[in-house]
Amino acid sequence: MSSRYWLMKSEPDECAIDDALAAPAQTVPWTGVRNYQARNFMRDAMQVGDGVLFYHSSCPQPGVAGIARVASGVRPDPTQFDAASPYHDPASPPDAPRWLLLDVQALRKTRLIGLPELRNEPALTDMLLLRKGNRLSITPVTPAEWAAVLALADR
DNA sequence: GCCAACGTTGGC
DNA sequence: GCCAACGTTGGC
């Protein structure tokens, strides 16, 4: 499965779009993915240059907060071996790391496009993010959905 | 391989 | 803080 566009969830307490924009080269390592399906997207399908909807989750105002791009291929996520990290995974073998990350470069902040607004947009009714029970932190986005979200951003 | 128990996510 | 939904674990 390959896609040119993705949505990636970040808790703004940890890394908000402003934090990513303030980072060197506006680029942050996407640490903490601990779901195999999301990891496999990074490993098997995501390519440098793919578009990313930067989504704020688990916060007072969940929604799309910015536009970014995939900026690197995958490498092992060092937080899995850090006993002090909340993402520590003692079961991950150091010689065969279970968890990967890639770099994400923030391109611009958008106005906050909240969940209710996304749900209201007819072009987004099938968006994976909006499916009932969806918990995936990385989901593919279709070109039509990408265009619809960008149109909302500029509205 | 089944499935119950448990842990996590994430909106509200 | 609640709870629905889902993923993972581990006994059998």
Side-chain angles (χ1 to χ4, degrees):
Chain A
M1 195 228 131
S2 182
S3 173
R4 292 159 56 205
Y5 303 106
W6 307 89
L7 180 140
M8 300 178 79
K9 296 180 184 175
S10 180
E11 301 191 14
D13 283 352
E14 280 189 40
C15 182
I17 184 69
D18 285 332
D19 300 320
L21 284 167
Q26 297 79 53
T27 299
V28 291
W30 206 264
T31 57
V33 172
R34 295 293 180 269
N35 170 284
Y36 289 105
Q37 208 178 336
R39 179 204 67 183
N40 293 347
F41 282 145
M42 292 196 291
R43 186 190 61 193
D44 303 333
M46 296 173 79
Q47 298 188 326
V48 172
D50 285 357
V52 172
L53 299 174
F54 197 111
Y55 180 89
H56 285 177
S57 74
S58 294
C59 60
Q61 273 246 296
V64 173
I67 306 299
R69 64 188 281 275
V70 175
S72 81
V74 288
R75 60 182 181 278
D77 180 346
T79 64
Q80 69 195 305
F81 302 122
D82 178 358
S85 167
Y87 301 122
H88 183 225
D89 181 358
S92 180
D95 55 343
R98 196 177 273 186
W99 304 115
L100 305 171
L101 59 71
L102 45 69
D103 290 328
V104 172
Q105 179 180 37
L107 297 176
R108 68 181 174 96
K109 191 175 180 174
T110 62
R111 71 181 183 84
L112 199 284
I113 309 164
L115 262 188
E117 187 174 354
L118 293 168
R119 291 192 191 283
N120 252 331
E121 173 55 49
L124 299 179
T125 47
D126 292 330
M127 197 175 187
L128 282 174
L129 169 80
L130 305 177
R131 289 253 180 91
K132 182 176 180 174
N134 164 67
R135 298 190 322 185
L136 260 187
S137 63
I138 301 176
T139 47
V141 170
T142 69
E145 290 163 350
W146 175 264
V149 173
L150 290 204
L152 282 179
D154 293 332
R155 189 170 292 174

